[in-house]
C-alpha cells in the first residue's frame, strides 16, 4: 500500500499538492512546479522525500511529503511532515494511517525522536484522525512565517 516515490510520480504528486491547496482554501498559494518538485525530491541534493499510498487497484490514493528537521533539545533529527493528503474518494481506506505509520517506522528505525506537522485549526476531521493515533497539539507554540515582501525586506533585497 505504501512505497517510496520515484521520479515518475512527480506529476501525480504535483496534482495532489494542487488538490490539497484547493481543500485548504488556498489554491493561489500553491506555486511549485513539477520541475521544482522533481529537483527537491530527486535532484543532486534532495531537500525532501515522499511516499505514495496506492489502493488495491494500483491507483495512487495519496502521498506524504516530508523532510528532516533537527531538535537542539533532543540532539537528533526528526521528520517534519509537510503534506499528507489522501484523495477524497479514497479516504477511510487506511491510506493516511499507513503513510503516518511508515513515517513513524522510519523515525524509530533511524533514532529520530519526533514526527511533527501542522494542521489548520478548522480541519476537524484531520484533527480527530491525528488525535486518534496519539498525536497531541502543541498549543503553546505559534508558527511564524516570513514570505514575499517581508522576507525580501529583511533579507536586504526589498
Amino acid at each position: 500500500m505504501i512505497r517510496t516515490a520515484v521520479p515518475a510520480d512527480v506529476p501525480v504528486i504535483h496534482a495532489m499538492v494542487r488538490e490539497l491547496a484547493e481543500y485548504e482554501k488556498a489554491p493561489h498559494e500553491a506555486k511549485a512546479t513539477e520541475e521544482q518538485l522533481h529537483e527537491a525530491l530527486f535532484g543532486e541534493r534532495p531537500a525532501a522525500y515522499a511516499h505514495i499510498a496506492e489502493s488495491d487497484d494500483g491507483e495512487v490514493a495519496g502521498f506524504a511529503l516530508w523532510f528532516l528537521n533537527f531538535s537542539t533539545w533532543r540532539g537528533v533529527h526528526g521528520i517534519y511532515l509537510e503534506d499528507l493528503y489522501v484523495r477524497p474518494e479514497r479516504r477511510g481506506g487506511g491510506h493516511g494511517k499507513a503513510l503516518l505509520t511508515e513515517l513513524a517506522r522510519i523515525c524509530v528505525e533511524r533514532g529520530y525522536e519526533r514526527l511533527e506537522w501542522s494542521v489548520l485549526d478548522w480541519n476537524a476531521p484531520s484533527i480527530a484522525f491525528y488525535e486518534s493515533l496519539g498525536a497531541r497539539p502543541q498549543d503553546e507554540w505559534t508558527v511564524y512565517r516570513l514570505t514575499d515582501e517581508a522576507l525580501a525586506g529583511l533579507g536586504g533585497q526589498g
Side-chain angles (χ1 to χ4, degrees):
M1 180 184 286
I2 305 302
R3 63 175 175 77
T4 302
V6 298
D9 292 317
V10 169
V12 74
I13 292 170
H14 184 259
M16 288 187 291
V17 167
R18 302 284 309 161
E19 292 169 26
L20 176 59
E22 289 280 342
Y23 175 77
E24 291 183 347
K25 303 173 186 168
H28 58 284
E29 293 183 37
K31 298 177 183 178
T33 65
E34 286 185 24
E35 292 77 19
Q36 288 173 312
L37 286 174
H38 186 276
E39 182 63 25
L41 293 168
F42 304 107
E44 187 176 317
R45 297 182 66 186
Y49 308 91
H51 284 79
I52 300 292
E54 290 183 339
S55 295
D56 292 338
D57 59 9
E59 293 294 315
V60 173
F63 80 109
L65 192 143
W66 56 278
F67 55 87
L68 295 180
N69 59 15
F70 184 81
S71 169
T72 57
W73 290 11
R74 299 238 176 172
V76 296
H77 282 291
I79 286 177
Y80 186 83
L81 175 59
E82 178 67 20
D83 287 335
L84 176 69
Y85 180 73
V86 176
R87 289 182 153 155
E89 66 274 13
R90 302 294 184 163
R91 292 181 187 154
H95 299 97
K97 182 176 182 180
L99 285 162
L100 284 170
T101 298
E102 176 62 11
L103 297 186
R105 185 196 65 74
I106 291 169
C107 286
V108 171
E109 178 183 275
R110 297 181 187 178
Y112 303 161
E113 295 188 13
R114 289 182 178 166
L115 172 55
E116 297 179 306
W117 61 92
S118 296
V119 60
L120 291 165
D121 59 6
W122 56 259
N123 193 344
S126 293
I127 292 168
F129 168 64
Y130 297 144
E131 290 183 354
S132 77
L133 300 175
R136 296 294 171 252
Q138 302 299 297
D139 294 333
E140 64 275 11
W141 294 91
T142 300
V143 176
Y144 280 82
R145 177 180 296 157
L146 281 170
T147 60
D148 305 322
E149 295 83 20
L151 179 63
L154 186 61
Q157 302 297 314

